[in-house]
């Protein structure tokens, strides 16, 4: 591979064997090098493919403006999140994390505090990711000599959640808002207030999280084959009429807002979760 551009001492843009431009990261990879030099492949630690001109310009701008320490920390955060969550996370998410951290640090230095109005929802829906983000913020504060707030940890959480979602059209904010809308429909249909530290409510949130990811993923946004027998579906409907009434409202919401057809399987699972919550409250 040959070096096309040097972004800093540790990052270069090179041309791979397929004639595609890639970003290469490695200690000293660009040090005392010039365009046209051969890449020292033994120093390459990470390789990132760039999909389109927009991403290419974004990456170049990122490495040109943002201090190397922030870029390094951002990749460490992504690696730590991958280890803690035991999930495959989108490699290029560190770019969004670095961009956010750099902006947050600049805001804080200028005494500008951004209120995160989704923080309450983030605490409810993504506690594991939030804990990772809070630890990451502590590292940033210590190494960068800054004092980023818990609101920034909330923003960082959304980037971590986003990294775990397959579709590039999905976002953590969309996921959070979908869960919130579903809970609101159930709450007003049943005229109840959720007990948020209740184990049944927490299990329902977990179910809704993965369910919502499927709804937001276009490859799953279709009617799936039902595995639940008609008799079981009918039994659940009869046994839990109040819960099923709320489920029907959720089904209508998903169809209207996201053009999603909820299978009988999903309706059964949602109904049973709601029924358990109702029983716990009575």
């Amino acid at each position: 591979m040959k070096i096309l551009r040097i972004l800093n001492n540790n990052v270069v843009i090179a041309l791979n064997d397929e004639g595609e431009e890639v970003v290469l990261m490695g200690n000293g990879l660009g040090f005392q090098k010039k365009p046209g030099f051969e890449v020292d492949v033994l120093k390459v630690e990470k390789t990132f493919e760039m999909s389109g001109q927009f991403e290419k310009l974004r990456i170049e701008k990122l490495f040109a403006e943002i201090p190397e320490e922030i870029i390094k920390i951002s990749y460490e955060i992504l690696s730590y999140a991958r280890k803690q969550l035991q999930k495959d996370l989108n490699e290029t998410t560190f770019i969004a994390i670095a961009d956010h951290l750099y902006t947050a640090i600049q805001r804080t230095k200028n005494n500008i505090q951004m209120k995160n109005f989704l923080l309450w929802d983030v605490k409810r829906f993504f506690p594991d990711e939030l804990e990772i983000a809070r630890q990451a913020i502590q590292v940033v504060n210590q190494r960068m000599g800054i004092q980023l707030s818990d609101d920034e940890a909330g923003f960082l959480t959304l980037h971590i959640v986003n990294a775990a979602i397959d579709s590039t059209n999905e976002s953590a904010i969309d996921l959070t808002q979908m869960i919130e809308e579903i809970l609101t429909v159930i709450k007003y249909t049943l005229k109840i207030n959720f007990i948020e530290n209740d184990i049944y409510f927490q299990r329902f949130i977990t179910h809704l999280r993965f369910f919502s990811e499927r709804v937001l993923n276009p490859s799953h946004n279709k009617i799936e084959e039902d595995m639940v027998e008609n008799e079981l579906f009918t039994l659940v409907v009869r046994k839990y009429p109040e819960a099923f009434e709320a489920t029907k409202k959720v089904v209508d919401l998903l169809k209207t807002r996201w053009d999603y057809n909820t299978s009988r399987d999903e309706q059964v699972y949602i109904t049973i979760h709601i029924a358990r919550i109702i029983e716990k409250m009575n």
Side-chain angles (χ1 to χ4, degrees):
M1 290 187 288
K2 291 187 180 296
I3 296 176
L4 292 180
R5 290 182 295 284
I6 298 170
L7 302 185
N8 57 50
N9 285 339
N10 303 315
V11 184
V12 302
I13 293 180
L15 203 64
N16 65 17
D17 296 335
E18 286 73 38
E20 301 167 333
E21 291 188 22
V22 293
V23 177
L24 305 177
M25 292 179 63
N27 190 33
L29 201 58
F31 182 65
Q32 293 185 339
K33 296 293 192 301
K34 293 181 180 180
F37 278 34
E38 285 289 332
V39 173
D40 186 347
V41 293
L42 295 179
K43 290 184 177 181
V44 176
E45 298 173 7
K46 300 292 177 185
T47 302
F48 302 99
E49 297 180 357
M50 296 181 290
S51 58
Q53 186 67 20
F54 175 78
E55 185 168 334
K56 184 189 304 181
L57 293 174
R58 183 186 178 200
I59 290 176
E60 290 192 35
K61 185 174 183 290
L62 174 85
F63 285 107
E65 295 182 357
I66 298 179
E68 291 185 37
E69 182 64 13
I70 293 179
I71 294 172
K72 182 179 179 181
I73 292 174
S74 299
Y75 198 82
E76 289 174 5
I77 291 172
L78 186 63
S79 299
Y80 177 69
R82 181 185 292 113
K83 180 179 178 181
Q84 293 299 111
L85 298 174
Q86 296 185 343
K87 288 184 176 180
D88 290 330
L89 303 181
N90 189 331
E91 284 279 326
T92 57
T93 300
F94 90 94
I95 297 172
I97 292 175
D99 192 32
H100 171 74
L101 288 179
Y102 178 67
T103 302
I105 289 171
Q106 296 306 307
R107 284 199 306 262
T108 302
K109 286 181 177 179
N110 291 315
N111 295 316
I112 300 173
Q113 296 296 324
M114 291 286 290
K115 187 68 177 174
N116 188 341
F117 295 103
L118 287 173
L119 185 58
W120 188 73
D121 288 327
V122 167
K123 289 178 180 179
R124 285 200 298 165
F125 302 147
F126 312 116
D128 294 337
E129 289 85 348
L130 177 60
E131 181 58 30
I132 292 170
R134 282 172 167 165
Q135 293 184 34
I137 291 297
Q138 288 182 8
V139 172
V140 173
N141 289 342
Q142 291 171 1
R143 285 163 61 172
M144 301 302 297
I146 199 73
Q147 196 60 44
L148 300 182
S149 67
D150 201 43
D151 289 294
E152 298 297 346
F155 288 126
L156 180 57
T157 300
L158 296 177
H159 288 297
I160 294 172
V161 174
N162 233 11
I165 301 176
D166 293 334
S167 173
T168 56
N169 294 323
E170 298 168 359
S171 72
I173 292 178
D174 289 338
L175 186 65
T176 302
Q177 289 177 339
M178 175 179 286
I179 295 174
E180 185 63 40
E181 287 188 39
I182 291 173
L183 290 177
T184 300
V185 165
I186 295 170
K187 177 179 178 180
Y188 283 99
T189 300
L190 300 176
K191 296 180 175 58
I192 61 173
N193 288 313
F194 295 113
I195 303 173
E196 297 190 5
N197 61 354
D198 175 65
I199 184 64
Y200 291 117
F201 179 77
Q202 292 300 324
R203 286 174 180 170
F204 185 42
I205 290 296
T206 300
H207 176 81
L208 282 183
R209 176 174 170 178
F210 290 105
F211 171 69
S212 298
E213 287 184 12
R214 292 200 305 273
V215 174
L216 288 170
N217 190 328
S219 66
H220 293 124
N221 198 356
K222 60 181 183 296
I223 299 177
E224 298 179 355
E225 182 180 356
D226 286 305
M227 302 300 293
V228 172
E229 298 289 340
N230 284 328
E231 291 79 4
L232 177 58
F233 179 76
T234 302
L235 176 63
V236 169
V237 171
R238 288 178 177 174
K239 187 174 182 179
Y240 307 116
E242 190 179 9
F244 184 67
E245 186 62 30
T247 297
K248 287 196 296 183
K249 294 294 181 61
V250 172
V251 170
D252 291 342
L253 170 71
L254 294 170
K255 180 61 179 177
T256 303
R257 289 273 283 111
W258 291 279
D259 193 28
Y260 184 82
N261 296 293
T262 310
S263 68
R264 284 204 314 268
D265 302 39
E266 293 165 332
Q267 292 180 51
V268 166
Y269 289 129
I270 292 172
T271 301
I272 291 174
H273 275 295
I274 296 173
R276 287 172 176 168
I277 292 173
I278 294 173
E279 289 172 2
K280 181 72 174 182
M281 297 181 68
N282 291 335

